[in-house]
Amino acid sequence: MPTPPNITRRSFLRSATLAALAQTGCSTLPSAHHDHVDAHVHLWSSDTHRYPLAPGFGLKDMVPRSFTAHDLFAQCRPNGVGRVVLIQMSFYHFDNRYLLESIAHHPDVFRGVAIVDETKANLHDTVKTLTSQGVRGFRVYSEPEQVATWPHSAGMKKLWTYAADRNLTLCLLTEPDALPGVHRMCQAYPHTRVAIDHFARIGMKSPIRRKSVDELCRLAECPHTYVKTSAFYALGAKKAPYTDLGPMIHRLRDAYGASRLMWGSDCPFQLQDGQTYANSIALIRDRLPFLTAEDKQWMLGGTAAKVFFA
């Protein structure tokens, strides 16, 4: 989602940081150990010479102009988040260098989800190289028309097989209409671990529909399927305190168990249009009374640690 006009990157990040600090009651960044894990964050650099954008993307797509590890730490550390799963940014496409360098600079904090070209003959070697550098999964764009081609795609067959063999996770950015096809693929590859990003974007383009939630819950039949409860700013009412998402989270908790759900902020997009990091994590930590203390431990860290850091 774009930032409002006439807001500079510095003022954007400063206001977002101050809001996060104010809501947590912190005036300085704490140095204590943080147990929470943010399962979904994007980082990028303003240096488009060193890290060029993929064809089809331009500076207009970089809002804010950059979001670095330093910017992230100003948000996540006051909220008790000590480890983060980085998701390759779309406008870098298959060039995972910035992701890998971020992991290398903070190896105890970051793990990565890269993007690869499954059609390339050297896919196996690429996967092996990336996993040696802290990558623990791969993002797969999963529009309905794309998902329909997967059973006949040699590249997808290899990727789903490699993921199972190497204990990696395929993170699917998908739509509600694609869930039946995703379900068929999960059944065909029962040992491949899959994480559905952002509730399959239920409630993003239309109201939250029971049929869509039913389809997402049906995926729980596949024992290696997980759901990221993330990107609250983009779903349902699209504004804090996000409690309108509670019934969907309740159903997912009952279908999957909290040990197969993981919270993610989807920073920096969670910081735009007056939204805050603190409000995102607070939905799971403070605002859903049906979640037990154990549920919260899984969703705010245990599940992501098991999937991406073990």
Side-chain angles (χ1 to χ4, degrees):
M1 297 174 66
T3 18
N6 302 321
I7 294 180
T8 66
R9 172 182 172 272
R10 179 175 295 179
S11 63
F12 165 80
L13 291 172
R14 174 175 172 78
S15 24
T17 301
L18 290 175
L21 291 170
Q23 291 199 34
T24 55
C26 297
S27 56
T28 59
L29 297 182
S31 57
H33 176 71
H34 307 293
D35 293 327
H36 298 328
V37 180
D38 189 334
H40 202 104
V41 166
H42 303 281
L43 298 183
W44 60 83
S45 169
S46 61
D47 188 347
T48 55
H49 178 73
R50 183 174 180 182
Y51 308 102
L53 304 184
F57 292 96
L59 295 180
K60 68 181 186 306
D61 298 302
M62 302 177 70
V63 180
R65 185 53 57 87
S66 73
F67 191 71
T68 66
H70 177 77
D71 299 325
L72 170 65
F73 293 157
Q75 298 294 323
C76 70
R77 285 177 171 167
N79 288 284
V81 174
R83 289 181 290 176
V84 175
V85 182
L86 299 180
I87 311 298
Q88 169 73 344
M89 191 56 205
S90 57
F91 48 64
Y92 289 143
H93 214 191
F94 304 130
D95 182 358
N96 295 285
R97 287 179 301 137
Y98 192 70
L99 176 87
L100 297 175
E101 289 174 18
S102 299
I103 296 171
H105 288 142
H106 303 279
D108 295 331
V109 177
F110 294 145
R111 293 295 181 270
V113 173
I115 299 177
V116 295
D117 185 350
E118 77 278 0
T119 67
K120 295 296 185 182
N122 66 342
L123 178 61
H124 182 273
D125 293 336
T126 299
V127 168
K128 185 176 180 180
T129 299
L130 288 170
T131 55
S132 72
Q133 298 177 76
V135 167
R136 295 295 177 265
F138 298 97
R139 172 163 250 202
V140 182
Y141 296 104
S142 313
E143 299 291 338
E145 59 273 13
Q146 295 169 313
V147 172
T149 70
W150 288 357
H152 316 291
S153 166
M156 274 296 169
K157 292 177 182 178
K158 288 181 181 178
L159 185 60
W160 283 66
T161 300
Y162 293 164
D165 291 346
R166 301 186 71 88
N167 202 30
L168 303 171
T169 302
L170 299 185
C171 294
L172 307 189
L173 183 63
T174 192
E175 302 278 350
D177 291 347
L179 288 173
V182 169
H183 188 268
R184 288 190 291 271
M185 200 71 174
C186 290
Q187 288 180 316
Y189 294 86
H191 302 294
T192 302
R193 190 163 58 212
V194 169
I196 304 297
D197 289 345
H198 313 324
F199 302 91
R201 297 194 281 196
I202 294 171
M204 184 177 76
K205 298 177 181 178
S206 62
I208 296 172
R209 295 194 171 104
R210 182 179 181 87
K211 179 181 177 182
S212 298
V213 180
D214 289 345
E215 289 285 358
L216 185 55
C217 288
R218 193 164 73 95
L219 265 177
E221 299 169 2
C222 306
H224 297 293
T225 303
Y226 296 75
V227 175
K228 291 182 190 174
T229 58
S230 52
F232 303 148
Y233 69 93
L235 307 174
K238 301 178 175 59
K239 61 182 180 181
Y242 315 118
T243 47
D244 61 300
L245 303 177
M248 179 163 62
I249 295 172
H250 198 163
R251 285 202 60 199
L252 292 171
R253 192 281 311 271
D254 290 348
Y256 285 83
S259 62
R260 291 167 62 192
L261 304 179
M262 60 186 94
W263 166 80
S265 69
D266 197 25
C267 265
F269 306 111
Q270 173 59 37
L271 306 180
Q272 298 185 15
D273 300 326
Q275 317 254 15
T276 69
Y277 195 99
N279 271 329
S280 175
I281 196 169
L283 177 63
I284 305 301
R285 189 190 59 212
D286 305 321
R287 295 173 178 159
L288 300 177
F290 60 83
L291 293 178
T292 68
E294 184 178 359
D295 289 340
K296 296 174 187 180
Q297 288 176 349
W298 279 114
M299 295 177 69
L300 292 175
T303 305
K306 174 182 66 174
V307 170
F308 294 105
F309 286 86

